[in-house]
Amino acid sequence: MSETKVRVASLSKSFGALKVLKDVSLEVNAGEVVVILGPSGSGKTTLLRSLNLLEKPDAGTLEICGHEVVIPKNGRFDRAARAQIARLRQKTAMVFQSFNLFPHMTALQNVIEGLVSVKKVSREAAVERGTRLLAQVGLADKADAYPAKLSGGQKQRVAIARGLAMEPEVIFFDEPTSALDPELRDEVLTVMRELARSGMTMLVVTHELRFAQEAADRIVFMENGSVVKNCGTEEFFSDTSGERIQQFLRRF
């Protein structure tokens, strides 16, 4: 039986009167690639950001790699919960649509910053690992380049290498290609496909349907803050009974 890496139960989140997540429950097993699809405003990004508490949910329980956090009703985490959140974050990496690289650091410095400052890895070991990871994402020759000199696709690949440097058990991708020109998307998607093939546990919010068909084990379709469908990839794309999903797919 596969180990469960992500477990979410009854997660809810509102912004004022707007309910963005409504009792969302979800499980992701080790090595699974789960793609989250849905129209804009369906709650996809809020769900992803809630998983490592970048967004604080209003209610529910989440467990990442064995570290459980129960959302307190008063919204204030006690010391024990904060410690769990710190441990949970150490097991995950997040790749954002806007790259979030440090502009004053080279590609290699961006990749190794967390290793040196958070994990206290020696600079020599960090440089060795960072150099290897840049080569893995096809950027061995860009180690000394600053973000301003990199294309959008190259920046995103640096961001992926930075996430991998922390040796996460789960990687969250939030629309990783949405800020890229079409010709640059493929270079990022290629790296993501390779990660999927390597057995990395991944949750991906995207509109890249081809990637979803090729790389995902499972599709979670969200609308109006709820999970409408959660099934295998083949079943999702071959199911013609759901008019709303067919409507969504026809837009692409």
Side-chain angles (χ1 to χ4, degrees), residues 7-11 24 59-63 68-71:
R7 181 179 286 114
V8 179
S10 302
L11 212 62
V24 172
T61 304
L62 59 93
E63 183 184 329
E68 185 181 77
V69 177
V70 179
I71 310 303

Side-chain angles (χ1 to χ4, degrees), residues 186-212:
D186 273 349
E187 61 191 55
V188 174
L189 293 171
T190 296
V191 171
M192 291 173 65
R193 286 187 192 98
E194 288 168 1
L195 276 179
R197 282 194 290 269
S198 76
M200 175 61 72
T201 308
M202 298 162 56
L203 267 83
V204 185
V205 169
T206 185
H207 284 103
E208 299 283 354
L209 297 186
R210 203 174 101 201
F211 170 81

Side-chain angles (χ1 to χ4, degrees), residues 74-180:
N74 63 9
R76 291 192 294 272
F77 293 109
D78 60 21
R79 183 179 296 179
R82 287 197 298 271
Q84 280 289 73
I85 292 168
R87 293 187 199 104
L88 175 158
R89 284 176 174 161
Q90 287 176 2
K91 299 289 187 180
T92 67
M94 183 95 164
V95 177
F96 301 89
Q97 58 182 322
S98 53
F99 324 128
N100 287 16
L101 299 180
F102 293 113
H104 62 288
M105 292 183 179
T106 65
L108 180 59
Q109 288 169 336
N110 266 284
V111 171
I112 69 173
E113 173 62 21
L115 277 177
V116 175
S117 62
V118 178
K119 290 208 165 184
K120 308 301 181 189
V121 172
S122 73
R123 187 158 193 86
E124 185 182 1
V127 166
E128 184 182 331
R129 179 162 174 76
T131 302
R132 191 169 68 249
L133 286 168
L134 283 174
Q136 183 180 326
V137 299
L139 293 173
D141 60 334
K142 298 294 183 182
D144 297 324
Y146 288 89
K149 298 295 185 183
L150 299 174
S151 70
Q154 290 169 337
K155 289 177 191 173
Q156 194 60 289
R157 285 186 282 157
V158 171
I160 292 171
R162 176 183 59 188
L164 290 171
M166 303 302 281
E167 299 184 306
E169 293 184 29
V170 183
I171 302 185
F172 304 131
F173 291 87
D174 181 20
E175 298 276 13
T177 59
S178 66
L180 303 178

